[in-house]
Amino acid sequence: MEVKIGVQNAPREIVIESSQTADEVQSAVAKALEGSEKIFALSDEHGRRIIVPAERLAYVEIGESAARKVGFGTA
């Protein structure tokens, strides 16, 4: 699923494809914002970790988990 992370004072957002579920991402965001975690961390599909200081989070957009279409067909 695609996750977009907005970071304060950064001109671009971070966009990753994560294998985590929407509920797992939402739980990580909630923990970071409530103060129980100092960082917000996610893993992408390739095993790389994205770490953002919790106080710098501007927004997190969680996309739908849908299979990617391959090819040029419309079906």
Side-chain angles (χ1 to χ4, degrees), residues 32-73:
L33 293 179
E34 72 186 13
S36 62
E37 299 284 332
K38 299 275 186 199
I39 60 170
F40 173 67
L42 288 179
S43 297
D44 71 1
E45 291 181 337
H46 304 287
R48 294 177 289 212
R49 303 228 356 131
I50 290 76
I51 300 171
V52 178
E55 72 267 1
R56 296 292 179 205
L57 278 179
Y59 65 89
V60 177
E61 182 180 315
I62 304 170
E64 294 182 21
S65 55
R68 292 181 177 219
K69 296 181 181 179
V70 178
F72 296 102

Side-chain angles (χ1 to χ4, degrees), residues 6-45:
V7 181
Q8 294 176 12
N9 302 320
R12 293 178 35 190
E13 63 191 9
I14 301 168
V15 181
I16 67 165
E17 286 291 328
S18 178
S19 58
Q20 294 172 294
T21 66
D23 290 335
E24 290 172 337
V25 174
Q26 184 175 347
S27 176
V29 172
K31 287 179 184 176
L33 293 179
E34 72 186 13
S36 62
E37 299 284 332
K38 299 275 186 199
I39 60 170
F40 173 67
L42 288 179
S43 297
D44 71 1
E45 291 181 337

